[in-house]
Amino acid sequence: MENNLLTRYSEIVEKNKREIVLLRGSGCKWRHCTFCDYHLDFSSDEESNFALNQEILNNVTGKFKRLEIINSGSFVDLDAKTFQFILDICIQKGIKEVHFECHWMHRKAIANLRNTFESYGIHANIKIGVETFDALFRENILHKGIDELSPAKIAVCFDEVCLLFGLEGQTEASMQYDIETGLTYFKRVCINIMVENTTKIKPSPAVIETFMRNLYPLYRDNSRIDILLENTDFGVG
């Protein structure tokens, strides 16, 4: 489903300042996460995707020397011409650090991406959406498709982690455990608060209230943690 009404370029100016682009690819290849309708932003038309992505990437200035690239899936879902254009833009604009997203199922593609960017002096950070380190909850309720129990082993391939809070069954203790585990094994943690979407998984106002009252004040100023109370808080979407 093509969606040209989304905001696809922004700047993150508070923590870890960087430019961010929301590109369009062929779509998430997992598509089993029960809470997610983000995968609906895709097109099977590679030329159309490249034309859109080129337009978005032309907004990049390099002002922070960091660029985050997100799309409704993993970096492997971007077409080859888009990928080359990303690399060209990074070189032209003096980008020294890039951030990509990747599902666990594509982890074997990460080394090649890192090597490609590193060969031009650009460090690649890879983010995974774990949502929670409670494996039973993650797989039985959220259907994330991560068959590894150990946070340390997950972190071998990944630099940054996304967590999802505000779901029925989560507690203050479970959320704090997830945050502290993320900080222990990953360079950065991105906390997403569940918002209403088209899936059957709904936000829990009580869990969100618990997070906002007891955990948000503890972590909101941590330089290694981004907290998105709305899924558009990075300015894209």
Side-chain angles (χ1 to χ4, degrees):
M1 181 183 74
E2 299 186 25
N3 190 338
N4 295 319
L5 301 179
L6 297 173
T7 301
R8 294 184 180 272
Y9 170 85
S10 187
E11 298 175 3
I12 300 170
V13 298
E14 293 184 358
K15 301 176 184 177
N16 194 33
K17 293 181 180 180
R18 59 203 186 274
E19 294 174 274
I20 184 169
V21 290
L22 170 59
L23 303 184
R24 192 177 68 204
S26 57
C28 176
K29 302 305 182 288
W30 176 246
R31 297 196 189 191
H32 294 303
C33 297
T34 56
F35 59 90
C36 180
D37 61 3
Y38 180 34
H39 61 80
L40 295 174
D41 178 40
F42 77 96
S43 173
S44 57
D45 184 338
E46 288 194 0
E47 288 301 319
S48 174
N49 287 340
F50 175 62
L52 174 64
N53 295 338
Q54 187 177 37
E55 179 183 350
I56 302 308
L57 287 162
N58 277 328
N59 290 290
V60 174
T61 67
K63 64 191 297 185
F64 304 123
K65 306 303 179 186
R66 293 191 188 98
L67 174 64
E68 181 162 358
I69 298 108
I70 62 175
N71 55 287
S72 64
S74 304
F75 65 80
V76 299
D77 304 319
L78 298 172
D79 64 273
K81 290 171 69 173
T82 288
F83 226 90
Q84 183 60 52
F85 198 75
I86 292 170
L87 184 58
D88 292 343
I89 285 289
C90 287
I91 295 168
Q92 293 167 15
K93 303 298 182 180
I95 302 293
K96 297 302 181 184
E97 223 174 304
V98 292
H99 304 255
F100 286 98
E101 295 180 324
C102 184
H103 188 277
W104 176 251
M105 70 188 292
H106 301 300
R107 62 193 180 280
K108 291 182 180 178
I110 292 173
N112 186 57
L113 178 143
R114 289 192 197 279
N115 292 338
T116 298
F117 279 86
E118 292 288 354
S119 69
Y120 292 94
I122 304 165
H123 179 68
N125 299 284
I126 312 300
K127 180 188 290 184
I128 182 173
V130 167
E131 321 311 343
T132 177
F133 292 103
D134 179 340
L136 287 177
F137 188 91
R138 183 180 71 220
E139 301 309 321
N140 292 342
I141 304 299
L142 303 182
H143 298 177
K144 279 298 302 183
I146 301 174
D147 59 358
E148 176 55 64
L149 301 181
S150 166
K153 291 182 179 179
I154 294 173
V156 168
C157 295
F158 297 90
D159 307 285
E160 306 175 353
V161 64
C162 281
L163 302 174
L164 180 65
F165 293 161
L167 303 174
E168 191 69 37
Q170 292 180 315
T171 65
E172 178 182 345
S174 73
M175 291 185 285
Q176 186 158 28
Y177 169 78
D178 282 339
I179 296 170
E180 292 298 330
T181 301
L183 290 172
T184 298
Y185 295 105
F186 297 84
K187 292 197 296 187
R188 295 192 63 79
V189 174
C190 182
I191 298 171
N192 296 278
I193 302 302
M194 182 69 190
V195 298
E196 186 89 16
N197 61 24
T198 62
T199 71
K200 294 181 180 179
I201 300 291
K202 302 302 178 186
S204 167
V207 174
I208 294 173
E209 197 276 331
T210 296
F211 172 81
M212 293 301 298
R213 182 182 66 247
N214 299 333
L215 297 177
Y216 183 67
L218 294 179
Y219 294 105
R220 64 184 171 191
D221 296 324
N222 189 307
S223 62
R224 292 172 57 206
I225 298 178
D226 294 309
I227 302 176
L228 280 67
L229 302 181
E230 297 288 339
N231 54 15
T232 54
D233 280 353
F234 275 159
V236 293

